[in-house]
Amino acid sequence: MSLGEDMLAKMHLRAPAADAYIDEDGTSTGPASASPSTVDLAGALSPLGKQTRPNGAVYHPRAVAKAFEDVALLRDARDHREHVLFYGPPGTGKTALCEAAFTADATTEHDGLESIVGTADTTEADFLGTFVQNPRSGAFEWRPGPLHRSVLYDVPLLVDEIALIDPRVLSVLYPLMDGRDVLRIPMNPDLEPLPVGKGWFVLGAYNPDVPGARLSEALRDRFAHHIEVGTDWVLAAELGVPADVIEVAKNLDQQRRKGDLAWSPQLRSLLSYAATERRRGREYALANLLAKVPQDDRDVVHGVLTKKFGVIHALRLGRRFES
C-alpha cells in the first residue's frame, strides 16, 4: 500500500469531527452536539382529532412541519408557556385553530380562551379593563378586559390582528410573556396583584399584507413559535368546494404570493362559495365571489374567473323584479 493509499484508509476509518463554533473573541465552544430530528420526536404528541369550536363548527386538524398535529402542538406549547404567532391571509383558519385547540377547556364563564381583536385604536384599557358607570346606582364599577380575564380564569389570550396594534400598547404584555408571573393593573389600585397560572400564554395572529401591519422586534422575539397559515386545498375539496373553483383559487393565491395581488380567496371564502352554489346556483355564487374581491384586485380576478367560467359580473341589484 502506498503512502497516499495508507492515508486515505486512515481518513475513512476516522469519524469526521463535528464543526466547532468560534466565538467573536476567537475561542471555541467545542463541537456541536447531535440533536434529535423532528420525525424522531413526532410521537411525543398524541393527536387529538377533530374539535368542535364554540360556534358549533368542526375544526379539522392540520400538520405542522409534516409531523405534529396543530391542536396537540398548541396545547403542548401552552403547557410550556411557549407563545405562538400565526401569520397569513384572512380566512385561512388562524382564529379557528386557536379556538379549537382550547375548546375542551371551556366552562360557563369562558370558551377555553379569551380574545381581543386589534385595531390601530386599541388601548391598554382595552386589554386590562376600565371603570364603567352602573346605570342603576350611578357608581363606577371595574369591568375586566380580556387580558385581566385570561389571567383570572387561567386560560390563553388570543390577540387577533396583533400587527395593527400600536407597539407601545402591546408592551403591556411584555412582563407576563417574559415570565414575570404577576399581573398588576395600575389603573385600579384596589386590585391586588394577580398571579399568572400555568394555563396562561399568548397566541398572536395577523395578516402581514394588510396596510399598516407591523410588529416590533421586541414583541416578535417573545414568540417561541412563528407559523405561517395557508389554505388546505385538499381539505377544501373534502368539504365540498368544486375542483375547478379550487384550481382558480390556487392560481390566484400564487399571484398573491408573488405580489401581483393583495387578495385571493382562502378557505373561508371557498366554503362560503360552496354553500352559496348549493343554495343559489353557480352563476349566482361566482357573481357573489367576484363582488367580494377588493376593488384594486377586481379587474385581475375578473379576468381569471371569466377565462375559466365565461362572462361574470359582480353581484348587484338590477331592475324591478316582476312577480
Side-chain angles (χ1 to χ4, degrees):
M1 180 181 292
S2 68
L3 178 61
E5 291 172 339
D6 181 54
M7 291 182 65
L8 285 173
K10 290 179 179 179
M11 290 173 63
H12 284 298
L13 289 172
R14 186 182 305 148
D19 292 336
Y21 177 79
I22 306 300
D23 290 328
E24 291 181 356
D25 61 2
T27 60
S28 172
T29 59
S33 59
S35 301
S37 71
T38 298
V39 174
D40 291 337
L41 297 175
L45 295 183
S46 299
L48 300 174
K50 296 178 183 179
Q51 303 292 317
T52 302
R53 295 168 54 197
N55 64 1
V58 175
Y59 180 79
H60 300 258
R62 301 170 63 182
V64 181
K66 301 181 180 179
F68 300 107
E69 182 198 73
D70 54 1
V71 172
L73 181 66
L74 275 198
R75 293 187 68 86
D76 185 72
R78 184 270 311 270
D79 293 343
H80 293 85
R81 195 170 294 175
E82 297 170 346
H83 311 293
V84 181
L85 182 65
F86 294 108
Y87 62 97
T92 51
K94 300 183 293 294
T95 304
L97 166 56
C98 295
E99 291 179 348
F102 302 103
T103 188
D105 304 324
T107 70
T108 56
E109 295 178 311
H110 59 77
D111 292 330
L113 82 167
E114 289 290 334
S115 62
I116 179 173
V117 180
T119 70
D121 298 321
T122 299
T123 65
E124 282 192 26
D126 294 322
F127 275 95
L128 293 170
T130 189
F131 285 98
V132 177
Q133 189 173 26
N134 187 317
R136 295 181 179 178
S137 66
F140 282 87
E141 302 173 351
W142 177 255
R143 180 171 295 175
L147 174 55
H148 186 182
R149 292 195 303 270
S150 68
V151 175
L152 196 63
Y153 297 137
D154 194 23
V155 297
L157 173 68
L158 167 61
V159 186
D160 215 346
E161 301 299 347
I162 191 171
L164 296 180
I165 303 174
D166 190 317
R168 292 170 295 182
V169 173
L170 289 169
S171 64
V172 71
L173 298 174
Y174 290 1
L176 303 185
M177 294 181 75
D178 286 341
R180 281 169 270 178
D181 293 340
V182 176
L183 174 65
R184 291 180 170 85
I185 303 179
M187 61 270 292
N188 186 351
D190 292 334
L191 291 175
E192 294 290 331
L194 190 61
V196 178
K198 295 181 178 180
W200 186 89
F201 83 135
V202 177
L203 297 157
Y206 73 104
N207 173 13
D209 298 323
V210 70
R214 67 191 190 282
L215 281 177
S216 70
E217 290 303 317
L219 177 63
R220 187 187 299 273
D221 194 51
R222 284 173 164 84
F223 285 98
H225 304 263
H226 294 238
I227 303 174
E228 182 179 10
V229 183
T231 286
D232 184 341
W233 309 110
V234 174
L235 176 60
E238 292 176 355
L239 295 178
V241 180
D244 50 2
V245 174
I246 293 176
E247 179 186 342
V248 168
K250 291 170 70 174
N251 175 289
L252 293 171
D253 195 56
Q254 289 176 354
Q255 294 191 53
R256 179 191 63 80
R257 288 178 174 276
K258 291 189 297 183
D260 297 336
L261 290 173
W263 179 93
S264 64
Q266 303 296 329
L267 185 60
R268 181 171 57 205
S269 293
L270 294 177
L271 294 179
S272 175
Y273 171 89
T276 302
E277 185 181 279
R278 288 192 295 270
R279 288 173 51 82
R280 301 286 183 258
R282 167 152 287 204
E283 294 79 11
Y284 185 102
L286 288 170
N288 189 47
L289 179 62
L290 180 59
K292 289 184 177 183
V293 181
Q295 198 64 48
D296 290 345
D297 293 328
R298 188 168 292 182
D299 287 344
V300 175
V301 176
H302 180 251
V304 172
L305 291 175
T306 298
K307 183 177 180 180
K308 182 69 176 180
F309 301 107
V311 178
I312 299 171
H313 299 289
L315 200 64
R316 64 183 180 85
L317 287 175
R319 297 169 53 188
R320 182 179 62 185
F321 184 79
E322 299 290 346
S323 58

